[in-house]
Amino acid sequence: MSLKDKLLSSYLTFQENQDFDNSIHDIKDAAIKVFEEKGFPTRKDENWKYTSLNSLVKEDYSLVGRNDDAVEFRDVKKFFLNDIDTYKIVFIDGKYSSYLSETTHDGVDVCLLSAALTKPKYKSVIDKYFDKILKKDSLTSLNTAFAREGAYIYVPKGKAVSKPIQIVHFATGVESNLMLQPRNLVVVEENAEVQIIERHQSLNSNPVFTNSVTEIYAGNHARVDYYKIQNDKEQASLIDNTHIDQQTSSEVAVHTFSFGGKLTRNNLNFYQNGEHNNSILKGVTIIEDKQHVDHNTLVHHKQPNCESHQDYKGIFDDRSTGVFNGKVIVDSIAQKINAYQSNNNILVSDKASINSKPQLEIFADDVRCSHGCTIGQLDEDALFYMKTRGIGEKEGRALLMYAFANNVLESVKIPQLKSRITKLIANKLGVNLGFEV
């Protein structure tokens, strides 16, 4: 039985065991029909031309994890940002871990999506926001149909969350290959602010296929900083679908750091539905062996006087492959837009490759839009200069690559996270950089 057939045959049993109201069941029923019609994307789809899911969908996955309560904090401590105080919402094999989590109801809801979907106290927010901006592609529809747990974060009007929120999904995958469908809903009301760090992490070498969806709603004058840390084991694959709705004068920044995993696909979609919005999309990819990372971005400018800034850096070694497919759409009403898009890449190995396709679709005539792509190797003259100053070749190459990625790091607003990312980059480059940022 194919993975698609297994999912379809499991759907009715899954629904019968969920305590959702009729409106949520209707959404899920509509979603599974979309997936049944479209199936998993293939390379025949233009947006998936350079990324194949064949090796993933041929595996046989368990759709229910073990939820190992024996996972101790000491076993997973290194995956958290521990040197500052944070809220934590943690899942093991798709189920909530109260032992590892630290949530709050002090003017902010940081809790479970299942609670929001099933309890009357959350109904007005859920009815207004849940599943309202998703594109009805097959993978987001698959998640909508099967999602039963994830993080629900609601920041009311005028509230600035006092400390960052960590969302961490652990996969034990002890008994078999595992497929997870986590779902996050983040609502940040007018004049509110929040910082969020998200991570998906396998705890052993069994194959894990995670199909994640996050919805983010930023109200008027809201500020959202969202950080994705992707440094998983070599048999873990992640499809990360993030959809963002921005209202007037809001600013949303998403930083994606992709350092590990077998296959990683980031679908990042911004919809600017108000004037004076600012959308920031930045990423650093450093991969090796046969790893594959694909960034597929969309910024849709629907209103005038807005900005968007995309800056993605990639470093590829061995037989690794990268993909950047970035699209900016400017509607005819969206005058006075400033849209910037850049994708720069270094191929460390002759066998590594990158497919880059920055795109602009502009239907307005009073805009400033630019896009560009570079693919090259390290500057040998700069490397020779460093050697003449007593810096070894390995360290010199690492410093050049770090400098290449550094402008993305500069915009990280959590100092402790910036330090952690610097150490991860140093580890990927195989050197001790000998400094903090």
Side-chain angles (χ1 to χ4, degrees), residues 17-239:
N17 294 326
Q18 304 305 310
D19 186 25
F20 301 129
D21 65 26
N22 289 336
S23 62
I24 301 299
H25 279 296
D26 290 344
I27 290 174
K28 288 177 171 290
D29 288 345
I32 198 64
K33 290 178 181 178
V34 173
F35 176 72
E36 182 177 16
E37 175 186 348
K38 296 185 176 182
F40 287 100
T42 69
R43 284 188 168 181
K44 293 181 180 180
D45 301 303
E46 183 63 28
N47 284 338
W48 291 84
K49 183 177 180 180
Y50 301 108
T51 298
S52 172
L53 299 182
N54 286 343
S55 63
L56 300 186
V57 300
K58 288 179 180 178
E59 295 278 359
D60 183 27
Y61 297 97
S62 170
L63 304 181
V64 180
R66 191 175 75 167
N67 190 26
D68 192 350
D69 294 328
V71 174
E72 298 288 344
F73 178 72
R74 64 175 179 269
D75 299 326
V76 296
K77 178 181 179 181
K78 63 182 179 180
F79 301 119
F80 295 105
L81 195 64
N82 294 307
D83 41 3
I84 58 171
D85 191 20
T86 65
Y87 297 117
K88 301 181 185 71
I89 183 163
V90 182
F91 303 90
I92 300 174
D93 289 353
K95 297 182 180 180
Y96 177 62
S97 171
S98 58
Y99 170 68
L100 296 175
S101 299
E102 179 188 344
T103 59
T104 177
H105 292 276
D106 184 19
V108 179
D109 286 327
V110 180
C111 59
L112 303 181
L113 183 61
S114 60
L117 292 175
T118 57
K119 294 185 178 180
K121 64 178 287 190
Y122 300 111
K123 183 172 175 54
S124 61
V125 176
I126 290 298
D127 287 346
K128 183 177 181 181
Y129 294 108
F130 181 73
D131 202 60
K132 294 299 188 293
I133 56 170
L134 300 188
K135 295 188 299 181
K136 298 304 179 183
D137 63 78
S138 62
L139 290 175
T140 56
S141 297
L142 175 62
N143 178 280
T144 298
F146 278 95
R148 54 184 164 187
E149 199 56 280
Y152 170 68
I153 299 171
Y154 177 78
V155 187
K157 181 178 178 180
K159 178 73 174 181
V161 181
S162 60
K163 51 189 180 182
I165 301 169
Q166 296 189 74
I167 305 171
V168 184
H169 293 269
F170 291 116
T172 63
V174 173
E175 297 174 351
S176 62
N177 302 348
L178 185 61
M179 185 174 189
L180 299 173
Q181 309 273 358
R183 181 65 164 259
N184 304 313
L185 175 61
V186 179
V187 179
V188 186
E189 297 284 16
E190 182 177 353
N191 285 309
E193 299 180 14
V194 68
Q195 294 176 321
I196 300 172
I197 304 164
E198 180 185 1
R199 182 165 188 159
H200 299 265
Q201 186 65 48
S202 300
L203 300 180
N204 66 54
S205 58
N206 283 345
V208 175
F209 181 8
T210 301
N211 177 40
S212 176
V213 171
T214 299
E215 298 173 81
I216 301 174
Y217 295 86
N220 297 340
H221 302 278
R223 296 290 181 269
V224 180
D225 283 313
Y226 207 103
Y227 302 95
K228 296 177 180 289
I229 312 301
Q230 299 170 346
N231 189 30
D232 214 339
K233 293 183 178 295
E234 62 181 13
Q235 294 303 317
S237 296
L238 170 66
I239 310 296

Side-chain angles (χ1 to χ4, degrees), residues 3 7 34 52 55-56 64 80 117-118 132 175 260 274 285 313 337 356 377 382 386 393 423-424:
L3 181 57
L7 289 164
V34 173
S52 172
S55 63
L56 300 186
V64 180
F80 295 105
L117 292 175
T118 57
K132 294 299 188 293
E175 297 174 351
T285 299
K313 299 292 183 70
I337 293 296
S356 185
Q377 297 177 318
M386 298 179 79
E393 181 172 352
K423 292 176 181 177
L424 286 175

